[in-house]
Amino acid sequence: MSPAPDVALGLDIGGSSTRALVVGSDGTRHGSGRAPGANLTSHSAESGLAAVAAALSAALRGLDPARVRAAVIGTAGPKNLAVPEIAAALDRIWLDAGLGCGYEVVADATVAFVAGTGDPDGTLVLSGTGALVARVEHRRLAQIVDGHGWLLGDQGSGFWLGREAVRRTLRALDRRVEPGPLGQAVLHRLVGTTPTGSARDVSAELVFTVHRRLPVALAELAPLVTAAAGADPVADDILDLAAGHLVEETEIVRRLGDGTVVVLAGSLLSTDTPLARRVRRGLTTRWPGAAIAVAHDAAAGAAWLGLSRSGTLDSEQATALHSRLFGRPA
Amino acid sequence: MSPAPDVALGLDIGGSSTRALVVGSDGTRHGSGRAPGANLTSHSAESGLAAVAAALSAALRGLDPARVRAAVIGTAGPKNLAVPEIAAALDRIWLDAGLGCGYEVVADATVAFVAGTGDPDGTLVLSGTGALVARVEHRRLAQIVDGHGWLLGDQGSGFWLGREAVRRTLRALDRRVEPGPLGQAVLHRLVGTTPTGSARDVSAELVFTVHRRLPVALAELAPLVTAAAGADPVADDILDLAAGHLVEETEIVRRLGDGTVVVLAGSLLSTDTPLARRVRRGLTTRWPGAAIAVAHDAAAGAAWLGLSRSGTLDSEQATALHSRLFGRPA
């Protein structure tokens, strides 16, 4: 009888959800867990750590935790997890879950790339709440463009789309022009069904409402922009600019003629959105030969990284496991 | 013997300083006070109200407060002063100071316009920490463009210049290009004298430092941009874009051929900065005949508004007082 296959844990800590997945080296999914998003900075760690614990305990339910031999955590802020209080709290969660293995913390961008391709080299184009473009070498981020956060960057991200939608609405009101379908949708969402008063009253109320929320909540307006594509030239212009930023940033990290894979990741690029279509078009024009893959299951990407780095799989086995997990040739 | 001239109080509540000035209808300056900036929103009202009280008490020192017949308060957030707790606290300060007159709250933009010209109609172009352009009719803001705050607007403001300076620095680091003089100045100020590590380490530290401060603190970097004008094409490009925004916004509120005065206001336009020179050039090209005035003393503008609206000065007297207070023909 052959020994029981190795088992690894993948944890994907994101702004909108936390996901845990336990996977065997034979591709068996032993358990999975999902919890709210976790932002593990010092002033919001408590709820974030609770989400991690909840996702972990759901994924390990009915499984002997001693079987887990490796774990990889993907997060937007790998450095946050190195802060002593947070590292200590995470160690306690690990202990409470009965996990004996250590864990490796990697950038969520690395995990996204791995979830999109079994190739070690290529380019990652990511747009979710934030945005970045990276050249990946040996499954490491060799050069990153943007990803600097909403205050200073994240061009072409969900936040950026949402903020542009509000800015264009304000611009119309400033010019005393009736906002188009996108502007109407923004006003409907943030000001109410029938804004009354002068254009300046309406814009003041819009500005006030935005400032009462967290800035990052502007990302929640991104679906209004994608929904208005084709129906409102303002939305099309915003999407053209967003795609333009992402494709220009790709040109910084990727030489023309480069034939490696491009992985699209993040909620705005991993499904068939008007932004994803524009980015694909821009990429195909510049790199006609390159394969474009899509990253779907970051937790599985993290688990696969754990198994492939644990040293028990050879390269061929890792490739076979990748295509089993992600359902397409690696 | 003629009766003692009327006396009015002007209060200018700004983000960087709070100023109070007591002025007689004959132009005599009876007293003045200065205190730190005051942001009278509910979560920071305490220190703001203390600043208002301090400026007021200094301006009234040695003066019978019963002589003050009118008061005008100019502020970036007139609506904040209508919030019940803040209005009540302000009433108490008024009472403690022995003031028997009421006060009128007006937008700081109105006061800035009045501090720049005795004319009732014209255009205001303001760039300080924030930025806006307005058409002024009968000393009221008839149409305002921008002024939406740093998160959504304030294009061409000190905040905007400072944020652009950081963004361009990050862009150079992302491209692995050595930042020019402006980028070096930004890194020197925010990261330290000799940044070490990879370009990504340096940019991560820059991003981290910016996020540790209040976003509006980015406005403190605006002087680095104006200082690098002529020496760094990146700074010149940022300043060209900022001036372009302000001049384009002026085109929204001001018809070509309009011969009324344009008042430049705010710390970036009321002195001879590279931004002010660019804005003047843009305005002169489009409105060759228009006079361009500069707003200097907002507290005096508020006091003048108080006197001219108290009903005791006729239009000629108000005009004469304006030129006495601001030292140039009204």
Side-chain angles (χ1 to χ4, degrees):
Chain A
M1 189 181 136
S2 64
D6 270 351
V7 168
L9 168 73
L11 194 59
D12 167 47
I13 305 182
S16 50
S17 74
T18 301
R19 290 194 57 242
L21 185 70
V22 178
V23 171
S25 54
D26 59 352
T28 309
R29 289 168 185 250
H30 292 282
S32 68
R34 178 186 276 276
N39 183 11
L40 294 179
T41 53
S42 47
H43 52 278
S44 63
E46 208 169 314
S47 62
L49 290 162
V52 169
L56 209 59
S57 111
L60 291 170
R61 196 165 296 141
L63 190 84
D64 174 7
R67 286 190 60 197
V68 178
R69 303 283 178 82
V72 166
I73 304 179
T75 164
K79 282 186 180 169
N80 293 336
L81 272 62
V83 172
E85 309 88 278
I86 295 182
L90 209 53
D91 286 349
R92 177 162 299 279
I93 288 172
W94 228 245
L95 211 66
D96 288 350
L99 288 165
C101 66
Y103 55 84
E104 188 188 358
V105 179
V106 301
D108 56 353
T110 304
V111 168
F113 182 80
V114 166
T117 180
D119 291 356
D121 303 322
T123 305
L124 175 74
V125 183
L126 184 152
S127 173
T129 304
L132 62 78
V133 172
R135 186 175 70 252
V136 179
E137 292 173 1
H138 311 299
R139 298 192 182 95
R140 310 270 174 191
L141 306 175
Q143 185 177 2
I144 308 173
V145 173
D146 204 349
H148 298 308
W150 59 264
L151 179 58
L152 297 169
D154 283 356
Q155 293 195 111
S157 67
F159 172 86
W160 190 93
L161 293 178
R163 187 184 55 189
E164 281 309 300
V166 175
R167 289 164 54 95
R168 303 297 180 106
T169 308
L170 290 171
R171 196 181 296 180
L173 293 166
D174 280 350
R175 290 177 181 268
R176 298 184 173 176
V177 168
E178 180 84 3
L182 174 60
Q184 297 297 341
V186 166
L187 290 173
H188 182 83
R189 173 79 70 92
L190 293 181
V191 175
T193 39
T194 48
T196 53
S198 71
R200 191 69 187 177
D201 289 343
V202 175
S203 77
E205 203 176 332
L206 178 55
V207 169
F208 182 74
T209 306
V210 169
H211 283 97
R212 227 172 22 194
R213 299 147 43 114
L214 287 176
V216 80
L218 284 166
E220 292 164 19
L221 303 176
L224 302 184
V225 182
T226 51
D232 187 334
V234 173
D236 286 321
D237 187 45
I238 293 174
L239 290 162
D240 287 344
L241 287 170
H245 283 309
L246 294 168
V247 173
E248 272 171 39
E249 288 167 6
T250 306
E251 287 178 331
I252 297 174
V253 302
R254 186 178 171 94
R255 268 180 288 274
L256 285 177
D258 187 330
T260 61
V261 64
V262 180
V263 173
L264 301 184
S267 55
L268 282 155
L269 297 182
S270 61
T271 56
D272 181 33
T273 68
L275 182 64
R277 287 195 287 279
R278 282 166 166 83
V279 169
R280 280 176 181 273
R281 209 176 304 138
L283 295 174
T284 308
T285 309
R286 282 164 189 76
W287 294 276
I292 299 180
V294 168
H296 279 299
D297 188 345
W304 182 84
L305 261 185
L307 286 166
S308 70
R309 287 185 181 172
S310 69
T312 56
L313 301 182
D314 62 29
S315 148
E316 200 174 312
Q317 289 169 319
T319 303
L321 174 62
H322 194 281
S323 51
R324 221 168 301 139
L325 274 179
F326 298 96
R328 50 186 184 278
Chain B
M1 190 181 134
S2 63
D6 270 351
V7 168
L9 168 73
L11 194 59
D12 167 47
I13 304 183
S16 50
S17 74
T18 300
R19 290 194 58 240
L21 184 70
V22 179
V23 171
S25 55
D26 59 351
T28 310
R29 289 167 186 250
H30 292 284
S32 68
R34 178 186 276 276
N39 184 12
L40 294 179
T41 52
S42 48
H43 52 278
S44 61
E46 209 171 313
S47 63
L49 290 163
V52 169
L56 209 59
S57 111
L60 292 169
R61 197 164 294 142
L63 190 84
D64 174 7
R67 288 189 60 197
V68 178
R69 303 285 179 80
V72 167
I73 303 180
T75 163
K79 282 186 181 167
N80 293 336
L81 272 60
V83 171
E85 309 89 277
I86 294 181
L90 208 54
D91 287 349
R92 177 161 298 277
I93 288 172
W94 227 244
L95 212 67
D96 289 350
L99 288 166
C101 66
Y103 56 84
E104 187 188 357
V105 178
V106 301
D108 57 353
T110 304
V111 168
F113 183 80
V114 165
T117 180
D119 291 356
D121 303 323
T123 305
L124 175 73
V125 183
L126 184 152
S127 174
T129 303
L132 62 78
V133 172
R135 186 174 71 251
V136 180
E137 291 172 4
H138 312 299
R139 299 195 181 92
R140 310 267 175 193
L141 305 176
Q143 186 178 1
I144 308 174
V145 174
D146 205 351
H148 298 308
W150 60 262
L151 180 58
L152 297 169
D154 283 357
Q155 294 194 112
S157 67
F159 172 85
W160 189 93
L161 294 178
R163 187 184 54 189
E164 281 309 300
V166 175
R167 288 164 55 95
R168 304 297 180 105
T169 308
L170 290 170
R171 196 181 296 180
L173 292 167
D174 280 350
R175 289 176 182 266
R176 299 186 174 174
V177 167
E178 180 84 1
L182 174 59
Q184 295 298 340
V186 167
L187 290 173
H188 182 83
R189 173 78 71 91
L190 293 181
V191 175
T193 40
T194 46
T196 52
S198 71
R200 192 68 187 178
D201 289 344
V202 174
S203 77
E205 204 176 330
L206 177 54
V207 169
F208 181 75
T209 306
V210 169
H211 283 97
R212 227 172 22 194
R213 297 146 46 113
L214 287 174
V216 81
L218 283 167
E220 293 165 17
L221 303 177
L224 302 184
V225 181
T226 51
D232 187 332
V234 173
D236 286 321
D237 187 46
I238 293 173
L239 290 163
D240 287 345
L241 288 169
H245 284 308
L246 295 168
V247 173
E248 271 170 40
E249 288 167 5
T250 306
E251 286 177 331
I252 297 174
V253 302
R254 186 179 172 95
R255 270 181 288 275
L256 285 178
D258 187 331
T260 61
V261 64
V262 180
V263 173
L264 302 183
S267 55
L268 281 156
L269 297 182
S270 61
T271 56
D272 179 33
T273 68
L275 181 64
R277 286 195 289 278
R278 283 167 166 83
V279 169
R280 280 177 181 272
R281 210 177 301 140
L283 295 173
T284 307
T285 307
R286 282 163 189 75
W287 295 277
I292 299 179
V294 169
H296 278 301
D297 189 345
W304 182 85
L305 261 185
L307 286 166
S308 69
R309 287 185 181 171
S310 69
T312 56
L313 300 182
D314 63 26
S315 149
E316 200 175 312
Q317 289 169 317
T319 303
L321 174 62
H322 194 282
S323 51
R324 224 168 301 137
L325 274 179
F326 297 96
R328 52 187 182 276

